[in-house]
Each structure stands twice: as structure tokens, then as C-alpha cells.
């Protein structure tokens, strides 16, 4: 089949148009769907890379935690050893009164038992103290509190000149503070 009487120019235009249509058909039928697949694959690869980077960061944090686990266990055991046993309240009170006597301090002591709803979840004993005595004796008393085999937590100290009419020593001062001692839970958690 020959194309009848077309000029060379018309034949070139016709062949170019046919090649254009074939090329467009190839682009539409093959290249565009594959391009969409390639772009979707690129997004999937980026998402996978982000996922693995997040996993890597979590793994790094976990390894760091595991490396510090023995240190944390040691600190937890030390904390547990600094808690008083249930039923040792009288021993704590006796120790506080004994320290006051050793350091020549007159002590008024009020006790409040705090339930385990405390922020750290342990029962506690709160001691409100009003100590009267010489400044150096007060300092020595506080140092002795630091040496007790359990944590005695004192938020603030309130110092004032003693106004006790019965006091023979006019240089005596009054130290008021609240101390908290934590107690082990009587039931296992």
C-alpha cells in the first residue's frame, strides 16, 4: 500500500505525526504508570528510612538505659536501706530525743503520719520540731541528724532568738523545722 500522490513534505508530516502518536502512546501507557510507581516507591523508602532511624534512636536510648541499670539498682538499694521499717517509729522518736539530749537542746516534737499518697508513693512520718539551745549545739544537732542511718528530709530551717521566759541562757536560739522520714511499705507493691 502506497500513499497516493503525497508530496514529500506531506509524507514527512504524516510520518512525524505517526511517530509522535506512537511516542505519546508509549509515554501514556508505559512511562506514566511506572513513574507513579517509582514516586510511590521513593516515598515508601523515605518512610522506611524514617522508621529505622526512629528505631535506631530508641535502641540507642535503651542501650544507654541498660548500661546505667546497675547504677540505678545500686541507688535504689541505697534508697531502700535508708527507709525505716514499719514499726520502727518509736526508735526514730527515741533517736531524735536522744540527739537533742546529747547536744543540750530542749526539743518539742510533734508527729504526723502521712499516708502512702505522698508524691513518691511511700508512707512517711513528719516531725515538726522546735529546738531551743545555743547556736553551736543546734548546728551539731543538725550534723548528727545527717549521720542517722535513714534519710531525714528537711525543707527549710527557721531560726529565731529564743523568747522563752524560763530560759536561763539569754543567748539561746530557737530552731523550727519540719523533717520527713520515709517508711517502707508494709505490703509489697
Amino acid at each position: 500500500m502506497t500513499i497516493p500522490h503525497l508530496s514529500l513534505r506531506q509524507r514527512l508530516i504524516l510520518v512525524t505525526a505517526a511517530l509522535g502518536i506512537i511516542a505519546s502512546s508509549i509515554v501514556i501507557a508505559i512511562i506514566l504508570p511506572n513513574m507513579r510507581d517509582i514516586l510511590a516507591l521513593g516515598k515508601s523508602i523515605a518512610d522506611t528510612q524514617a522508621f529505622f532511624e526512629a528505631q535506631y534512636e530508641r535502641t540507642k536510648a535503651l542501650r544507654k538505659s541498660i548500661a546505667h541499670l546497675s547504677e540505678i539498682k545500686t541507688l535504689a538499694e541505697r534508697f531502700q536501706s535508708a527507709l525505716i521499717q514499719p514499726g520502727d517509729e518509736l526508735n526514730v522518736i527515741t533517736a531524735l530525743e536522744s540527739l537533742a539530749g546529747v547536744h543540750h537542746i530542749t526539743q518539742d516534737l510533734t508527729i504526723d503520719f502521712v499516708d502512702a499518697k505522698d508524691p513518691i508513693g511511700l508512707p512517711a512520718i513528719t516531725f515538726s520540731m522546735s529546738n531551743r539551745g545555743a547556736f553551736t549545739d543546734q548546728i551539731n544537732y543538725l550534723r548528727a541528724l545527717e549521720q542517722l542511718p535513714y534519710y531525714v528530709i528537711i525543707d527549710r530551717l527557721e531560726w529565731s532568738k529564743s523568747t522563752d521566759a524560763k530560759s536561763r541562757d539569754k543567748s539561746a536560739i530557737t530552731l523550727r523545722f519540719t523533717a520527713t522520714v520515709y517508711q517502707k511499705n508494709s505490703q509489697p507493691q
Side-chain angles (χ1 to χ4, degrees):
M1 165 164 164
T2 60
I3 302 177
H5 307 295
L6 294 176
S7 69
L8 181 62
R9 183 173 183 207
Q10 289 175 337
R11 281 189 221 161
L12 282 174
I13 291 174
L14 189 58
V15 169
T16 306
L19 288 176
I21 291 173
I22 292 171
S24 297
S25 299
I26 290 173
V27 166
I28 292 172
I30 297 172
I31 295 176
L32 285 181
N34 287 333
M35 188 73 123
R36 276 192 298 251
D37 291 345
I38 290 170
L39 291 174
L41 187 59
K43 183 181 180 318
S44 176
I45 289 170
D47 291 345
T48 303
Q49 181 181 2
F51 171 76
F52 281 119
E53 285 175 359
Q55 289 293 90
Y56 173 72
E57 291 300 321
R58 287 196 339 219
T59 302
K60 256 180 28 178
L62 184 60
R63 284 184 182 152
K64 185 177 179 182
S65 296
I66 289 170
H68 293 296
L69 189 59
S70 63
E71 180 182 332
I72 293 168
K73 283 182 180 178
T74 303
L75 290 174
E77 288 168 3
R78 195 168 132 208
F79 177 73
Q80 283 293 322
S81 70
L83 300 175
I84 65 170
Q85 297 291 332
D88 279 353
E89 298 87 354
L90 186 58
N91 294 338
V92 174
I93 295 166
T94 304
L96 293 173
E97 290 175 346
S98 174
L99 286 177
V102 166
H103 295 286
H104 313 290
I105 290 178
T106 305
Q107 182 178 68
D108 293 329
L109 182 65
T110 307
I111 302 165
D112 184 26
F113 293 91
V114 181
D115 197 359
K117 292 179 180 52
D118 186 81
I120 66 169
L122 292 172
I125 305 169
T126 302
F127 300 96
S128 297
M129 296 186 216
S130 178
N131 295 352
R132 284 176 301 287
F135 179 77
T136 54
D137 292 337
Q138 299 278 16
I139 295 296
N140 291 333
Y141 176 81
L142 291 173
R143 284 187 183 138
L145 277 179
E146 291 178 341
Q147 302 305 314
L148 290 175
Y150 34 83
Y151 287 125
V152 178
I153 301 166
I154 300 172
D155 287 333
R156 64 186 170 94
L157 301 172
E158 185 181 314
W159 301 86
S160 62
K161 188 172 181 174
S162 188
T163 57
D164 189 2
K166 295 184 246 173
S167 178
R168 287 175 254 147
D169 184 7
K170 298 300 178 194
S171 65
I173 60 169
T174 301
L175 171 62
R176 289 185 180 85
F177 62 93
T178 302
T180 303
V181 176
Y182 286 100
Q183 183 179 34
K184 291 183 181 177
N185 274 326
S186 54
Q187 311 98 311
Q189 292 183 349

